[in-house]
Amino acid sequence: MVAVKTVHPPISCSSSGSQCGQLVPVPKIGFVKLPSLSLRLNVGNYARLSLIQATEESTVAVTNGRAAVFSGENPPQMVTNGTAGNIVWHKSSVGKVHRQELLQQKGCVIWITGLSGSGKSSLACALCQTLYSRGKLTYILDGDNVRHGLNRDLTFKSEDRAENIRRIGEVAKLFVDAGVICIASVISPYRRDRDACRALLPEGDFIEVFMDVPIEICEARDPKGLYKLARAGKIKGFTGVDDPYEPPLNCELTCILRWLQLALPPKGNSCASPSDMAETVISYLEEKGYLQA
């Protein structure tokens, strides 16, 4: 690592326009001499060059051929995280608490899990609509929607399913930090993956909602026709058919939507509709203080 300090005389400029304005001082700017860096260009690749602005008492750190500018005499310590080395967490003066005060709510994740056809998306939409009517900001991370973009490179193999949930968990964590109530509607069949997402957040900010609907009812509904394809052998590794679903052992809320029961009698304290279950979840949020800053 090479550190270079720059100290240059101040530069002043006038305001734009046809008339000359008062001279306004600007931060001291100088050029930073960096060690020679070798760039190997292949056909189809581009050399990415960045303009570096260094103010007085700035320090330029060059590591692994990359340059970064730090203010002050003691630059942040480089760390290694996962496969990425020499990365530094940049802290903003506007933090989570400020964003929550602005939104008048607290960020959290409502993680809706269950078999395909159990009503996860119906509950997510009803919850989003009800909270919106109360002036609360939410965002739905739907399992199918996320696979259209962020996770479109993933298959349904076990290792890719784990990566799918990991990415959703990390995105949900960002929403929570932004003060948003994030509603994740994903099958997420494996407990270890759901528990890993829970571990990303402060205690209480991960609210697991289990759609406790038997596979017979989900398959009878089969809104996307996926069970039929799985039974015909056209879909391999389908959750509930030839791949397991591990129900939560200690979730915050359990739901059986009565309208999914078809001709079967209701079981236990089931909810009459997605709107009713949404109100149950909202009552939980109110009790835990998430609907106020």
Side-chain angles (χ1 to χ4, degrees):
M1 177 182 294
V2 179
V4 183
K5 286 190 176 181
T6 62
V7 180
H8 289 269
I11 301 174
S12 61
C13 62
S14 60
S15 58
S16 60
S18 57
Q19 298 180 353
C20 295
Q22 182 179 2
L23 293 179
V24 180
V26 298
K28 298 177 182 180
I29 300 175
F31 293 98
V32 180
K33 183 177 181 181
L34 301 177
S36 59
L37 304 176
S38 61
L39 295 176
R40 286 182 287 180
L41 300 179
N42 298 323
V43 178
N45 292 341
Y46 297 89
R48 296 184 177 178
L49 305 178
S50 300
L51 177 64
I52 299 176
Q53 175 176 308
T55 58
E56 186 177 8
E57 298 301 329
S58 293
T59 300
V60 177
V62 180
T63 308
N64 292 343
R66 300 193 177 197
V69 177
F70 303 111
S71 297
E73 297 182 357
N74 299 316
Q77 182 180 2
M78 293 292 188
V79 298
T80 300
N81 183 13
T83 59
N86 304 325
I87 57 176
V88 179
W89 183 269
H90 185 84
K91 188 175 180 180
S92 171
S93 59
V94 178
K96 180 180 178 181
V97 173
H98 303 98
R99 292 186 285 270
Q100 291 183 152
E101 289 176 350
L102 183 66
L103 296 172
Q104 285 299 296
Q105 63 184 52
K106 294 177 182 177
C108 65
V109 173
I110 302 170
W111 193 280
I112 306 175
T113 177
L115 292 168
S116 177
S118 60
K120 299 184 300 298
S121 296
S122 297
L123 173 56
C125 291
L127 184 58
C128 181
Q129 180 64 46
T130 305
L131 286 170
Y132 173 77
S133 67
R134 299 191 182 194
K136 302 305 176 183
L137 183 61
T138 66
Y139 194 87
I140 297 176
L141 292 175
D142 181 85
D144 281 356
N145 292 356
V146 171
R147 282 185 176 271
H148 278 78
L150 176 67
N151 293 347
R152 65 181 178 183
D153 59 320
L154 300 177
T155 69
F156 288 91
K157 295 179 180 178
S158 178
E159 58 272 21
D160 278 3
R161 286 189 172 188
E163 175 62 12
N164 178 57
I165 299 305
R166 187 196 71 81
R167 292 183 191 179
I168 294 174
E170 289 288 353
V171 173
K173 178 183 176 181
L174 295 177
F175 275 111
V176 172
D177 189 56
V180 176
I181 298 173
C182 180
I183 306 168
S185 172
V186 283
I187 294 175
S188 46
Y190 309 131
R191 292 190 194 104
R192 67 176 182 273
D193 297 333
R194 299 193 301 266
D195 290 344
C197 292
R198 181 187 290 271
L200 292 172
L201 300 169
E203 185 176 356
D205 286 359
F206 186 92
I207 303 163
E208 191 172 20
V209 180
F210 173 40
M211 305 301 291
D212 187 9
V213 180
I215 188 171
E216 295 81 10
I217 296 174
C218 295
E219 190 167 356
R221 292 187 69 230
D222 202 10
K224 302 173 185 176
L226 299 179
Y227 285 99
K228 184 177 180 180
L229 293 174
R231 295 296 183 189
K234 296 181 180 180
I235 297 179
K236 301 295 183 181
F238 190 76
T239 301
V241 176
D242 54 355
D243 203 70
Y245 175 82
E246 300 172 353
L249 299 177
N250 192 25
C251 60
E252 281 71 19
L253 294 169
T254 300
C255 173
I256 304 173
L257 297 181
R258 186 177 300 164
W259 65 281
L260 293 180
Q261 296 286 348
L262 303 177
L264 299 179
K267 172 176 138 184
N269 296 324
S270 57
C271 305
S273 69
S275 297
D276 289 339
M277 184 56 196
E279 290 294 344
T280 300
V281 176
I282 290 174
S283 295
Y284 181 91
L285 295 177
E286 288 177 333
E287 177 186 344
K288 300 299 181 180
Y290 284 102
L291 300 186
Q292 57 188 14

